[in-house]
């Protein structure tokens, strides 16, 4: 394992080696659980047939499939390829057809306290209207639609309306900048952008439409014919006649009946951009039948969903894969009743989430470790002020959850009884891959534990050999799974190189992992140049390119430094261009430059990528082959003694950096 990677893995191993607690399911929970231990045996006996039966049981097919898996075009899989269906029909219409039209699909809670309840019948009418309105704007099967919206009912409706038309959506998180939006619109060659005037965040109206206007002035966006605008905040917006259209005008006027476009199982459902190890985000492509099968299967078994009685709440934004699979597709395909919330956990007060749990009697909660750690920091007296007794299953996703946060989540939020499911998966995997099954698995604080039924995951060494129990290495997925990505939009070669070249024939996830003495899997974080900040993936290279695009910067290196709350924090080291270097010689000058560069990254990529710190340095540590040794910079960023620097081309560089930083420049 290369040096940088082995240090990360080693540190994680040492922290977790001492964790031995386990929490077996209660007999009462086990007795009523959707998942039974026999699922593993059934799946192991015939993995492909296991998925075929899930696809038949969980989805409604227009034309039943007769083929299950075609792996002859590996690494691009085809699942259920001769079947036809429609995702929106599965998520909405069929529930209405089955007499469940009056069931609440969405309890929307706006940040300011405004609410809206939408039944499945109402959702069907709204999605159909939106599909008719979008079709009238010239969007048809196969056309791409970019969605840049806050968390609103309309966001869910927009995604489903696209799915209904067979028009792949590409949701861009509202926290991304105009430039990030532009590059995604251009890469997807989108014909429509759906946005809002703005959304409410931390008590204020935050604008979105101006970013779309700016993006559409940029290169490569000529494909966009219209911008469909939801009115949420009522703030002023610039209007381009002929291009811009109000949602409330065209959708309200549209026919509430729409015949879904029946598509092949392998028809693209969506593209979702995610950061990789290079500067250019990857458009991860997901198709319909396999994706819906695994999203709904995992949502039902991992959360033990009882659609008649549960109230489910996933706190993720639809801009991320978690929002796609576990706000939109998984829960709605399963006919769940769920809460969606527009705002932040501390608006207008730090008990907001728990107030929502109490109000709607939320029984299943799915969130990220960073949120749990933030709540821990705020203090347990805050959740203690609310009735959380409705909660019966708790989920975690996005990054490794440290045992301390896990125990707090269980005790303070789960009343020491609700099982915690720590779910490992990725944008690329489409749905959960490794997780305990509540009612079956004795859970361990900090471990995602076991591959789900039908999934083949392992931890291997440099030569792709599975490590023995107790050993550490790389997480791999050795058999195709239904919701796997079908490629990177427009770049098959990059798909092969990124995931399938390190260990030929098996999928390399990019994560370090260990197996404990029981063979359970513990995730240890990324082993590549991808950072994980608050459960969001950021590329070191992408932030470095943003920094060097500023005129004062000659060179930049970015590392993810350990952070108690956000998991990792972005710390940037920059060398200034000659003529600007003098400015950074005083602490005030350095602080000013640091501020300018932080703001520059926020503008280029988005506020989520803004470095916590930007340190001006005279040199960067490089090996003789010119590779930046980020391990050493991480030592500096985490205030540790700098490790072995003997492989540096110039071993005095680290002294220079440390001396410069301690003198305040
Ligand atoms: O490093 C792993 C981490 O998040 C990465 C995937 O990020 P993204 O595609 O943005 O999807 C996040 C939501 C599914 C993984 O490579 N990760 C995700 N879940 C876990 C995790 N690391 C440890 N434990 C998890 N439960």
């Amino acid at each position: 394992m290369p040096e940088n990677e082995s240090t990360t893995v080693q540190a994680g191993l040492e922290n977790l080696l001492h964790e031995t607690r386990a929490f077996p399911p209660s007999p009462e929970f086990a007795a009523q659980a959707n998942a039974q231990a026999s699922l593993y045996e059934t799946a192991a006996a015939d993995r492909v047939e296991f998925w075929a039966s899930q696809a038949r049981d969980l989805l409604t097919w227009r034309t039943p499939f007769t083929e299950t898996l075609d792996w002859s075009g590996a690494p691009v899989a085809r699942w259920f390829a001769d079947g036809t269906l429609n995702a929106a029909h599965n998520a909405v219409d069929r529930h209405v057809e089955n007499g469940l039209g009056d069931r609440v699909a969405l309890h929307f809670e706006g940040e300011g306290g405004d609410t809206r309840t939408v039944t499945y019948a109402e959702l069907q009418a709204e999605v159909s209207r939106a599909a008719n309105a979008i079709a009238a704007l010239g969007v048809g099967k196969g056309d791409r639609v970019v969605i840049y919206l806050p968390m609103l009912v309309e966001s869910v409706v927009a995604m489903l309306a696209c799915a209904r038309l067979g028009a792949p959506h590409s949701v861009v998180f509202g926290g991304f900048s105009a430039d990030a939006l532009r590059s995604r619109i251009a890469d997807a060659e989108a014909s429509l952008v759906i946005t809002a005037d703005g959304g409410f965040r931390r008590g204020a109206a935050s604008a979105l439409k101006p970013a779309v206007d700016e993006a559409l002035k940029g290169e490569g966006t000529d494909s966009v014919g219209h911008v469909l605008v939801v009115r949420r905040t009522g703030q002023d917006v610039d209007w381009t006649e002929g291009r811009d259209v109000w949602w409330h005008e065209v959708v309200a006027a549209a026919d509430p009946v729409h015949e879904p476009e029946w598509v092949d199982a392998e028809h693209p459902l969506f593209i979702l951009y995610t950061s990789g190890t290079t500067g250019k985000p990857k458009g991860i492509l997901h198709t319909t039948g396999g994706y819906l099968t695994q999203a709904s299967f995992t949502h039902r078994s991992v959360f033990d969903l009882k659609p008649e009685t549960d109230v489910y709440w996933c706190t993720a934004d639809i801009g991320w894969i978690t929002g796609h699979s576990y706000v939109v597709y998984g829960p709605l395909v399963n006919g769940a009743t769920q809460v969606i919330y527009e705002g932040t956990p501390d608006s207008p007060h730090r008990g907001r989430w728990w107030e929502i749990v109490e109000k709607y009697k939320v029984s299943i909660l799915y969130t990220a470790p960073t949120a749990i750690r933030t709540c821990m920091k705020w203090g347990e007296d805050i959740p203690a002020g609310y009735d959380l007794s409705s909660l019966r299953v708790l989920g975690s996703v996005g990054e490794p959850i440290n045992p301390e946060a896990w125990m707090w989540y269980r005790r303070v939020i789960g009343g020491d009884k609700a099982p915690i499911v720590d779910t490992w998966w990725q944008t690329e995997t489409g749905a959960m891959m490794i997780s305990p099954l509540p009612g079956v698995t004795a859970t361990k604080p900090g471990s995602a534990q076991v591959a789900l039924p039908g999934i083949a995951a392992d931890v291997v060494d440099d030569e792709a050999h599975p490590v023995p129990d107790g050993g550490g290495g790389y997480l791999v997925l050795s058999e195709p799974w239904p919701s796997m990505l079908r490629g990177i939009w427009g770049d098959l070669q990059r798909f092969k190189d990124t995931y399938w070249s390190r260990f030929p024939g098996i999928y390399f996830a990019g994560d370090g992992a260990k197996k404990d003495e029981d063979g359970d899997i513990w995730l240890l974080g990324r082993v590549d140049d991808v950072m994980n900040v608050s459960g969001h993936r950021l590329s070191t290279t992408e932030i470095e390119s943003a920094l060097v695009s500023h005129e004062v910067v000659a060179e930049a290196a970015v590392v993810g430094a350990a952070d108690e709350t956000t998991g990792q924090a972005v710390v940037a080291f920059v060398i200034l261009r000659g003529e600007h270097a003098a400015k950074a010689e005083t602490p005030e000058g350095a602080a000013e430059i640091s501020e300018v560069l932080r703001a520059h990254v926020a503008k280029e990529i988005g506020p989520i990528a803004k470095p916590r710190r930007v340190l001006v340095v005279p040199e960067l540590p490089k090996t003789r082959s010119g590779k930046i040794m980020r391990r050493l910079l991480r030592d500096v960023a985490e205030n540790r003694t700098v490790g072995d620097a003997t492989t540096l081309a110039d071993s005095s560089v680290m002294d220079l950096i440390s001396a410069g930083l301690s003198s305040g420049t």
Side-chain angles (χ1 to χ4, degrees), residues 547 557-559 561 569-574 594-595 597-598 610-616 633-639 661:
L547 284 164
V558 163
V559 297
V570 179
V571 177
F573 294 82
V574 295
S594 163
E595 249 340 282
L597 294 177
R598 291 177 68 232
K610 198 173 181 176
R612 169 82 47 93
R613 289 157 74 198
V614 177
L615 304 168
V616 179
L633 292 175
R634 219 176 290 132
D635 288 341
V636 174
E638 293 173 356
N639 302 319
L661 293 177

Side-chain angles (χ1 to χ4, degrees), residues 396-414:
S396 173
V397 63
E399 55 179 313
I401 177 164
N402 45 312
E404 198 196 351
W406 195 101
M407 289 302 296
W408 189 91
Y409 196 25
R410 179 179 162 91
R411 182 174 60 79
V412 179
I413 307 303

Side-chain angles (χ1 to χ4, degrees), residues 274 320-322 366 396-401 422-429 434 448 509-511 523-526 532 535-537:
T274 188
W320 309 108
I321 190 70
T322 309
Y366 192 28
S396 173
V397 63
E399 55 179 313
I401 177 164
D422 174 8
T423 62
W424 179 90
W425 59 294
Q426 310 178 293
T427 305
E428 292 85 342
T429 68
I434 305 177
D511 282 42
L523 278 308
L524 303 174
R526 303 288 305 194
N532 191 325
H536 298 148
R537 252 160 92 164

